[in-house]
Amino acid sequence: MKWNRFTVKTKTEAEDMVICTLAEVGVEGVEIQDKQPLTDEDKAQMFVDIMPEGPEDDGIAYLNFYLEEDADKDAILADVRAALDELKSYMDIGEATIEESQTEDKDWINNWKEYFHQFYVDDILIVPSWEEVKEEDQDKMILHIDPGTAFGTGMHETTQLVIRQLKKYVTEDTELLDVGTGSGILGIVALKLGAKHVVGTDLDPCAVPAVAENKEANQIPDKDFDMMIGNIIDDKAVQDEVGYEKYDIVAANILADVLLPLTPVIVRQMKQGAYYITSGILDVKEDVVVDAVKKAGLTLVEVTRQGEWVSVTARKD
């Protein structure tokens, strides 16, 4: 099925007001295209450490909304134009012109699946739910992982670095804290390796259903993997709920710039002798993370590398 796409040309400073105005006449799900640089808060939500230079902000924004082919577009557009004209009477929203085009129907949530197929991380086979395990692989350690809208399939070098460290340090008594859980892959790997219990934290609410689905796919009992949403760096309630001096391993596959404020805080969650396994670190940031680990009173155990990515493992002595 094809969709009708309508593009409103406006100003970046008026984006929010135009989107609210569209919502008032029943248009939802607006797609924003502009050249505004990302804020530090935006970057902290993304798995990107060094952002490429983008084009200079020209102050123009294009807001796309979509209507099904059989929708009464004339009536809807009449309402949109009337609402925009009213808004223009007391606010500068730029041209507020509307261009129409057509686009093919896409399943934006699921069409990434064509690029994700089963693969190995050393001797661990990671398989998405839509693929069958081959007969010759039935005796392998198998993880069924679907990231959905939460990060983490195991394909990225940073995740693989942490998995290899978990293979070294997880025991049957391990209590693991996974900061930035995403799909739950690291916690599930730890449990498959014999860990006793996992607690995961994440800022993104999408991690909750993703972890639940992946636990079910891997026959992980709910009691073995607890999940919570919140910022453990500065939210005392999250810190209290996670608990203090109770984890044998803390895994944090996030950004170097997030590891810096996290490290002195997370030490309080670790037992004596616990391991702190970090990743998501570009090689150019290795020294600053190692320095942060040492300043927090941890002993550097090893630094491992894959491509341009680095994992720093330390211990609380």
Side-chain angles (χ1 to χ4, degrees), residues 45-101:
Q45 302 291 326
M46 302 173 67
F47 195 73
V48 179
D49 210 344
I50 296 178
M51 293 295 297
E53 289 295 325
E56 185 175 349
D57 183 13
D58 58 6
I60 296 174
Y62 297 91
L63 307 180
N64 301 316
F65 62 92
Y66 299 83
L67 301 176
E68 295 182 13
E69 273 191 310
D70 57 358
D72 187 353
K73 67 176 184 178
D74 291 337
I76 295 171
L77 284 177
D79 290 342
V80 168
R81 288 193 172 98
L84 291 177
D85 286 342
E86 182 179 353
L87 184 60
K88 287 174 73 173
S89 68
Y90 60 86
M91 180 178 181
D92 183 5
I93 61 172
E95 295 181 16
T97 53
I98 303 175
E99 289 190 5
E100 181 179 353
S101 58

Side-chain angles (χ1 to χ4, degrees), residues 54-203:
E56 185 175 349
D57 183 13
D58 58 6
I60 296 174
Y62 297 91
L63 307 180
N64 301 316
F65 62 92
Y66 299 83
L67 301 176
E68 295 182 13
E69 273 191 310
D70 57 358
D72 187 353
K73 67 176 184 178
D74 291 337
I76 295 171
L77 284 177
D79 290 342
V80 168
R81 288 193 172 98
L84 291 177
D85 286 342
E86 182 179 353
L87 184 60
K88 287 174 73 173
S89 68
Y90 60 86
M91 180 178 181
D92 183 5
I93 61 172
E95 295 181 16
T97 53
I98 303 175
E99 289 190 5
E100 181 179 353
S101 58
Q102 277 197 329
T103 182
E104 294 290 340
D105 185 26
K106 288 183 180 288
D107 183 351
W108 299 107
I109 294 296
N110 292 306
N111 76 337
W112 57 270
K113 291 180 178 179
E114 64 185 280
Y115 304 106
F116 180 36
H117 304 286
Q118 56 188 276
F119 64 98
Y120 276 100
V121 179
D122 299 339
D123 57 347
I124 299 175
L125 178 62
I126 298 176
V127 182
S129 63
W130 56 91
E131 291 193 357
E132 295 291 329
V133 178
K134 299 172 185 174
E135 187 64 33
E136 61 267 28
D137 292 326
Q138 294 289 341
D139 60 342
K140 304 291 194 301
M141 179 184 287
I142 297 171
L143 265 70
H144 298 278
I145 295 293
D146 290 352
T149 53
F151 176 82
T153 63
M155 296 183 73
H156 201 279
E157 292 95 327
T158 59
T159 310
Q160 295 179 19
L161 284 165
V162 179
I163 288 173
R164 293 189 181 102
Q165 295 305 93
L166 292 175
K167 289 172 67 179
K168 295 177 185 177
Y169 299 113
V170 167
T171 72
E172 62 183 10
D173 297 318
T174 294
E175 289 275 349
L176 182 136
L177 173 62
D178 181 15
V179 181
T181 305
S183 67
I185 183 171
L186 296 178
I188 292 170
V189 166
L191 291 166
K192 290 274 191 176
L193 291 169
K196 185 194 301 184
H197 184 255
V198 171
V199 172
T201 71
D202 206 291
L203 299 178

